[in-house]
Amino acid sequence: MVRLNEIRSSELAVPLPAEVQAGVYFIGRCHTPWTDRLACPRQGRLDGPLCRIEIFEPWVPCLEGIAEFERLEVLYWLHESRRDLVRQSPRNDGKARGAFSLRTPVRPNPIGSQIVRLVGIDGATLLVRGLDCLDGTPLLDLKPDRELFRPLAPRQAGDDEVGDRADQA
């Protein structure tokens, strides 16, 4: 069963650092059918409900060229997730795992990442399928799906490196 904020046996919560070490800009907002964490899907589906991603000014010009891509990677801030639970028991069976081994929204930096299908663009709004976040979730970034993207800039030395360098062994 999905839960809100309880801590199960074998789970571990830690105190959060007092200092914030970085800042981000919310560049938009995700609009989805889900207003309740207990009803929100755990993972989006490319055939899921139609959702909207609203882009705020001054970031609207960043959308230029995005229509070339069938799929996008959406990064968003899971603003209702707790951040202190480092070991979790998703099955509630007494066996805990580290947050980094799970796709849980409960993590030190609650950044969600989802591949969505771009259905259309209406001004500063993208129509997509595949989101798995609450209505009103702050948007961090959009990128073409890495499987569909090839760099436009000229190649550089590191682009062709494979294996380990001798001096790193």
Side-chain angles (χ1 to χ4, degrees):
M1 178 71 189
V2 177
R3 79 270 174 99
L4 290 176
N5 291 314
E6 74 269 16
I7 297 177
R8 297 170 175 167
S9 66
S10 80
E11 293 186 331
L12 174 65
V14 299
L16 294 174
E19 178 185 332
V20 174
Q21 299 165 335
V24 297
Y25 298 110
F26 293 150
I27 62 167
R29 193 156 307 283
C30 300
H31 298 283
T32 72
W34 305 288
T35 58
D36 181 331
R37 286 174 36 203
L38 298 179
C40 193
R42 289 192 175 114
Q43 291 194 9
R45 300 170 45 118
L46 293 177
D47 62 351
L50 189 65
C51 299
R52 295 179 300 114
I53 298 175
E54 169 191 11
I55 305 299
F56 300 152
E57 288 291 351
W59 315 113
V60 175
C62 295
L63 292 174
E64 186 176 326
I66 204 164
E68 299 173 27
F69 300 96
E70 174 187 354
R71 294 187 313 267
L72 304 172
E73 181 177 9
V74 182
L75 300 169
Y76 41 93
W77 190 259
L78 299 163
H79 60 294
E80 291 195 19
S81 292
R82 63 185 302 159
R83 301 175 72 174
D84 62 340
L85 205 55
V86 296
R87 294 187 68 229
Q88 301 170 41
S89 179
R91 292 187 181 114
N92 197 15
D93 61 1
K95 296 177 184 172
R97 299 178 62 132
F100 298 151
S101 72
L102 301 167
R103 296 223 17 116
T104 175
V106 179
R107 38 197 339 102
N109 289 309
I111 297 170
S113 171
Q114 186 64 35
I115 300 295
V116 300
R117 183 165 53 90
L118 180 61
V119 175
I121 302 174
D122 182 14
T125 300
L126 303 179
L127 305 173
V128 302
R129 292 190 188 277
L131 280 176
D132 61 352
C133 60
L134 293 175
D135 188 48
T137 295
L139 179 67
L140 294 175
D141 206 353
L142 292 169
K143 300 178 181 196
D145 179 346
R146 70 186 52 138
E147 292 181 6
L148 302 177
F149 184 78
R150 297 295 172 259
L152 302 174
R155 297 188 69 68
Q156 57 191 40
D159 291 340
D160 297 314
E161 286 189 23
V162 295
D164 297 326
R165 290 183 180 182
D167 60 328
Q168 292 178 341

